[in-house]
Amino acid sequence: MATATTERLALGQLAESGIEFVQMETVDLDGALRGKFLPVSKVKPDAQGAFCTILFQLTSVDDVWVTRHSSFDNGFPDMRAMPDPQTAVRWNWQPDTAAVIFDMFGLDGEPYPLAPRSILRQVASRFAETGYEPRFGIEFEAFVMRADEELMTQGRHHEMKPLGGMHNAYRLNDVAEARDLGKTFIQRMKGFGIDVEAFHTELGYGAIEFALAPVGALAAADNATRAKSYFRQLCAERGLVATFMAKWKVGESGAGGHVHQSIWRDGQNAFYDPTRSTLSNAALHYGAGLIKSMPDFAVLFRPNVNSYRRFDHRAWSPENASWGYDNRSAALRAIRQPGQNAYRYEHRVPGADTNIYLSLAAMLAGGHLGLTNKLTPPVAAEGNAALDANCARLPSTLPAATELFRNSEIAKDYLGAAFVEHYAASRDVEHQHWGAWLAEQVTSYELKRYFKTI
């Protein structure tokens, strides 16, 4: 097993470090890493690359759609791709290979307005005006199966055998294979500075969860996106396949992408107030902004048709913009244990299928809105937060969430009108593909309901 020595690389010295190949990485609208494989000579601090603008007009399965940004009318032009020196890391399991995240720029030199990493940078810069430093710790749930390409090609995914065959959360017995998978994953991630704080089985056949240590906004999004991609890669090496679908099978748990967050100043957690047992005023303002903006940003937290199959408070997936102290039925779970550095919110709306750059941008926007306007949250929910009539209900379908986002002045203010227009159009396309498929089916529901009865 490879060692876990952390090694940060200087872009100008990759070859001298024994690197021969570089995986160029960037993120698409759906949060997946895309890129190119490059010889090391092509990656230098001042070396510009190129990437087609169609990157942000590909669905997760590469259906192509066109807009004014990239089309036959303008010839599908390139963007400029620039490496971020802070993201150069060696793969400790393939020592001749490094990975570098690239940012996208227009030909005018400005950050490309549709790039999720650009959007997060933009909002993070604005949030910095508050004088607080945000920290985010992200946890993902996933389901791991024994890969069977024939079954997947035939659409018989549910017939694949789960990792370990266990159904229990936090199980320690009969989990040797899952434990070894987790140990290797933790070690690989530590090798380039991503700390996995916990790895455990979850409720469901083949279900696992891993939690990443809290860091700043951009680093948190980079770490989480890489962790998902590299976890899939590790699984594939072992004849396994991992899915981060929000709801991969009816009757099984959903897969969450919960985000723990707090804000800091002068090395102190600003969510903590030593004079009282509740959260600080800054925390309450921040949380109030998250609550107020949550319906507007819901499509960023639940971006796919499948995301809404997880919409069910009975499965601890919130249905309204609520909050409460240590209350897992609420959208925002306020945590005050085990000590002052642990004071934080757990944002429980996003699924594991979210684009984490966009989720964090939305949360920073909401936090900024709350802090700068000194917003006050509603009364903290006690008991089942889904029954709190004072909380705005979150949209329960992709079209409804898309329309709220498209018309949101909050979203346009923080993310930019061009991005809001484009992302809303991408969700329209996603729903249209679902509708087109459904129109061609005679479903099992229809057969059971009508075959013998009419």
Side-chain angles (χ1 to χ4, degrees), residues 22 126 148 165 277 351 369 377 379 408 415 430-431 453:
V22 175
R126 185 167 172 183
D148 189 317
S277 61
L369 181 72
V379 175
S408 170
L415 310 184
E430 192 66 29
H431 193 261
T453 60

Side-chain angles (χ1 to χ4, degrees), residues 5-311:
T5 302
T6 299
E7 182 180 0
R8 288 288 175 179
L9 300 173
L11 279 184
Q13 299 177 335
L14 292 180
E16 291 84 345
S17 301
I19 299 298
E20 295 184 56
F21 309 100
V22 175
Q23 177 165 290
M24 170 194 188
E25 298 176 340
T26 191
V27 67
D28 65 14
L29 281 188
D30 290 296
L33 282 182
R34 298 195 185 233
K36 304 176 182 180
F37 305 105
L38 307 174
V40 68
S41 60
K42 291 294 184 181
V43 183
K44 299 177 181 178
D46 57 351
Q48 293 186 20
F51 218 103
C52 181
T53 49
I54 202 63
L55 170 67
F56 302 117
Q57 289 165 211
L58 297 172
T59 69
S60 60
V61 294
D62 283 3
D63 306 296
V64 177
W65 53 288
V66 297
T67 73
R68 60 187 173 88
H69 301 282
S70 192
S71 69
F72 290 99
D73 291 335
N74 65 9
F76 300 95
D78 276 343
M79 303 170 284
R80 291 176 179 171
M82 294 289 292
D84 181 344
Q86 302 300 315
T87 67
V89 294
R90 184 195 299 269
W91 284 1
N92 55 356
W93 64 98
Q94 290 185 24
D96 64 348
T97 302
V100 181
I101 297 176
F102 280 63
D103 284 308
M104 298 298 152
F105 296 86
L107 299 183
D108 59 1
E110 293 297 314
Y112 197 68
L114 308 183
R117 204 166 189 260
S118 297
I119 295 297
L120 179 54
R121 280 187 186 275
Q122 170 184 309
V123 181
S125 177
R126 185 167 172 183
F127 186 88
E129 299 168 359
T130 66
Y132 293 106
E133 173 197 348
R135 297 184 187 179
F136 294 95
I138 296 155
E139 52 188 41
F140 284 126
E141 296 168 332
F143 285 79
V144 182
M145 303 290 142
R146 303 196 183 283
D148 189 317
E149 292 297 332
E150 183 176 354
L151 288 178
M152 287 188 283
T153 299
Q154 297 172 1
R156 297 161 57 196
H157 300 70
H158 294 159
E159 297 178 32
M160 288 190 293
K161 295 181 179 179
L163 173 70
M166 84 292 289
H167 191 271
N168 306 79
Y170 310 115
R171 189 174 180 87
L172 294 178
N173 294 326
D174 305 320
V175 289
E177 190 173 12
R179 184 185 296 114
D180 186 64
L181 179 69
K183 287 166 62 177
T184 303
F185 177 61
I186 291 170
Q187 189 175 50
R188 284 191 178 185
M189 295 303 96
K190 186 178 181 180
F192 44 82
I194 299 177
D195 289 329
V196 180
E197 293 193 326
F199 184 101
H200 61 87
T201 64
E202 255 296 350
L203 186 62
Y205 288 110
I208 62 93
E209 177 182 310
F210 58 83
L212 306 179
V215 289
L218 191 64
D222 289 343
N223 290 353
T225 303
R226 279 177 156 171
K228 283 178 69 174
S229 183
Y230 295 165
F231 182 71
R232 289 181 185 276
Q233 182 176 331
L234 173 60
C235 287
E237 292 171 16
R238 298 185 172 210
L240 304 169
V241 61
T243 181
F244 292 87
M245 287 179 66
K247 189 78 168 181
W248 98 281
K249 186 177 182 181
V250 173
E252 288 285 15
S253 300
H258 300 166
V259 178
H260 294 253
Q261 56 202 279
S262 57
I263 57 175
W264 294 63
R265 177 178 280 170
D266 299 327
Q268 300 295 316
N269 187 349
F271 275 17
Y272 174 73
D273 184 339
T275 68
R276 62 194 197 190
S277 61
T278 57
L279 292 175
S280 69
N281 284 332
L284 294 175
H285 295 325
Y286 182 99
L290 294 183
I291 293 291
K292 180 176 177 61
S293 61
M294 196 178 292
D296 293 47
F297 289 131
V299 75
L300 301 181
F301 307 139
R302 291 167 169 166
N304 302 303
V305 172
N306 177 259
S307 305
Y308 296 86
R309 296 192 184 279
R310 181 177 159 266
F311 190 90

